[in-house]
Amino acid sequence: MEIIADPYQFQAWCASLDGAQALGFVPTMGALHAGHAALIRASRRRDERTAVSIFVNPTQFGPSEDFTRYPRPLEQDLALLGNEGVAVAFTPAAEAMYPAGDSVQVEVGELGERLCGASRPGHFRGVATVVAKLLQLAQPARAYFGQKDAVQAAIVRRLIDSLFLPVELVVCPIVRERDGLALSSRNTYLNPEQREAAKVLSRALRTMGEAYDAGERETAALLLIGRDVFASEPGARLEYLAAVDAATLLPVAAAGPGTLFAVAAFCGPTRLIDNAHIDHNGVYLL
Ligand code: AMP
């Protein structure tokens, strides 16, 4: 596996691939787990070469967020990428991605202010900016993102469409622990009590999904059901629980194909997110 830190070298490596060798690209912030591995495997099944970036992007963290303490187990991450058959790991420094004097940013407008964007101002501007830079460097045939970050996936979809980027977006299902907790690099912050409380996110979503499967369509009723589940868990503080259109992120009154149930909650100081959606056949997916 090649390990490249310089953006121009990474760009040259990707550009040197023969046209018949499709490149799949998986952007990450490292602290890799089975959720990231699932994206890499999805690419390995479809693409001749897989590139993975590891970059803790400073512009998507707010001033009081966890940028400095975000886990960075680089050696371990590179070993995982090697074992997964990744062709190239891109590990740039912040100064290389944002050279002095760089002031270009990608604004996502209202879409970036909904759900997580409401409590994390500027977060999705940072995400869109770094994703645009990374896609521009790699110019992959396909880019793989996780359904875990459903708001991010909606914004990346909009970014790709808006800038006419010639890349296929592949959104992969959420990988979970056996008890339902969605895998996240931030789960390592949880102490045992917080880890126990964190099960409430998927439990609330599952309970809403069961009510949907039983025929309930009114999102007001479904959200009450979800909030009740949260009320039974004092170890978690709900930030939002919403039923929205998965593409526009605007609230919907009736749940159906394309509806996203999304949640953000704090367990201790750690903010966790999760979601479930109703697919285009009307099937509820956690
Ligand atoms: P991150 O390193 O947290 O920025 O995540 C990198 C990519 O992995 C994003 O597209 C995430 O949505 C995806 N991802 C993170 N956790 C999971 C998970 N539990 N299941 C599937 N994809 C995930």
Side-chain angles (χ1 to χ4, degrees), residues 26-39 53-55 60 70 144-150 152-153 156 170-177 181-187 273-274:
V26 182
T28 82
M29 298 206 301
L32 302 177
H33 51 62
H36 299 107
L39 305 188
S53 60
I54 296 179
F55 180 57
Q60 70 189 68
Y70 196 84
Y144 295 80
F145 287 82
Q147 175 66 23
K148 159 79 178 5
D149 298 272
Q152 172 171 281
V156 171
V170 183
V171 180
C172 299
I174 303 177
V175 179
R176 299 178 177 280
E177 302 281 6
L181 179 67
L183 296 192
S184 163
S185 305
R186 291 189 167 99
N187 291 351
I273 57 171
D274 199 352

